[in-house]
């Protein structure tokens, strides 16, 4: 009897030891399971985030590009020239040295001035694109840098027409700044690198170099160079109906650059490209709307750089604007010019007035 009790006691003890061993084993497994769960959660998180990023970058893949795998899709490009003969692995490892873009509408008559402009920008590793509105491309090939530039030809088209069709945001997405300049700007006192340094430091999303006070054409006082400043964001003026003060919140007193030499950040150009309408030709008035694309407060994000300034020659192209421009730096008496049709309309109004009075005494 005693032996049976002893046997039962031994079996209970053995059973207790075995349970304790299992419990201790389970306790040892907990840290490992915790680490494993953490790793699995991290993998799920990264996978979900990657898929979300892919859907955000390629919103059209769910519709028009359903048949293409995500890894093969590349929805943006650039304006960098590629060598004709090169290995595929060297192309894939290409590093973009040009982080800024200069785009200029040009005609052969301004070849000398454009040559001086482009040479300055090429030294600063800018990508150059020329829009030939006169159709003459062959006349540029004797310039050393011509083969490094991109040439696009469309007769009698303006800067904004070219920009809308050839500077799509997905095409210029690698460039930090887009310089969309006219061809009649003198750059003797302008350094592209110093200019970019200033607008980066001051957070200017849309900007332009100031105009030399002796320029042939100056349309707005805010664009005139202030000799004692590096840059300015507003102007103080009392002329006609214009009253510019610290309370002014829009153009032409503050938050304004003119269409002759605008410079856009990548984000600002994305907005501006969508702002440009397909039928926009000369661009008159579009400069008053650029502040909408300032990526914030236009009074802070838009400015004119004084230390790096240009000379505006005011050369009319594509038949000219049809309007006589005057410099605002020197007050001048305004002269009203009427056409023959205006005079006929004025006489008809007077005649109808007398006829009406005669019939209704």
């Amino acid at each position: 009897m005693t032996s049976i009790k002893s046997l039962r006691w031994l079996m209970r003890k053995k059973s207790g030891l075995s349970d304790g061993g299992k419990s201790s084993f389970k306790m040892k497994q907990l840290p490992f399971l915790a680490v494993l769960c953490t790793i699995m959660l991290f993998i799920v998180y990264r996978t979900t985030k990657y898929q979300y990023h892919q859907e955000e970058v390629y919103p059209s893949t769910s519709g028009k590009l359903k048949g293409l795998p995500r890894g093969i899709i590349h929805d943006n490009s650039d304006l960098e020239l590629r060598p004709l003969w090169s290995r595929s692995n060297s192309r894939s490892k290409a590093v973009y040295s040009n982080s800024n873009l200069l785009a200029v509408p040009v005609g052969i008559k301004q070849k000398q001035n454009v040559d001086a402009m482009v040479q300055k920008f090429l030294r600063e590793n800018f990508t150059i694109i020329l829009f030939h509105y006169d159709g003459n491309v062959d006349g540029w090939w004797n310039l050393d840098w011509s083969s490094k530039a991109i040439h696009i030809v469309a007769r009698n088209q303006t800067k904004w027409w070219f920009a809308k069709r050839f500077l799509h945001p997905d095409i210029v997405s690698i460039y930090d700044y887009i310089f969309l300049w006219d061809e009649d700007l003198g750059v003797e006192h302008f350094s592209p690198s110093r200019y970019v340094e200033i607008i980066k430091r001051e957070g200017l999303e849309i900007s332009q170099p100031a105009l030399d006070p002796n320029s042939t054409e100056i349309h707005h006082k805010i664009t005139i160079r202030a000799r004692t400043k590096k840059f300015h964001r507003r102007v103080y003026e009392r002329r006609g109906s214009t009253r510019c003060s610290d309370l002014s919140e829009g153009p032409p007193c503050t938050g304004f650059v003119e269409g002759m030499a605008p410079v856009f950040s990548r984000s600002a150009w994305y907005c501006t490209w969508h702002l440009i309408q397909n039928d926009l030709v000369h661009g008159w008035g579009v400069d008053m709307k650029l502040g909408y694309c300032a990526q914030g407060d236009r009074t802070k994000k838009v400015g004119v750089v004084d230390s790096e300034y240009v000379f505006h020659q005011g050369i009319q192209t594509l038949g000219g604007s049809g309007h006589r421009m005057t410099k605002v730096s020197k007050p001048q008496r305004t002269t009203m010019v009427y056409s023959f049709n205006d005079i006929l309309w004025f006489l008809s109004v007077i005649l109808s007035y007398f006829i009406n009075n005669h019939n209704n005494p």
Side-chain angles (χ1 to χ4, degrees), residues 38-61:
T38 303
I39 294 174
M40 291 179 66
L41 288 172
F42 178 76
I43 293 173
V44 171
Y45 166 76
R46 293 292 296 178
T47 304
T48 305
K49 186 177 180 181
Y50 175 78
Q51 290 177 347
Y52 173 78
H53 175 73
Q54 290 294 313
E55 291 174 1
E56 188 178 39
V57 173
Y58 309 122
S60 61
T61 57

Side-chain angles (χ1 to χ4, degrees), residues 150-181:
I150 299 161
H151 302 264
I152 296 178
V153 184
R155 287 184 178 274
N156 296 327
Q157 301 305 309
T158 65
K159 175 169 68 176
W160 300 106
W161 184 93
F162 281 107
K164 182 66 175 180
R165 287 150 182 83
F166 300 103
L167 297 183
H168 189 279
D170 290 342
I171 300 299
V172 299
S173 61
I174 71 165
Y175 305 109
D176 294 331
Y177 293 98
I178 293 92
F179 288 61
L180 189 57
W181 282 19

Side-chain angles (χ1 to χ4, degrees), residues 14-43:
K14 185 177 180 181
S15 176
L17 288 173
S18 62
D19 291 343
K22 289 180 181 178
S23 300
S24 62
F25 179 73
K26 289 179 180 179
M27 291 296 291
K28 290 179 181 178
Q29 280 185 325
L30 286 177
F32 173 75
L33 290 173
V35 172
L36 184 62
C37 289
T38 303
I39 294 174
M40 291 179 66
L41 288 172
F42 178 76
I43 293 173

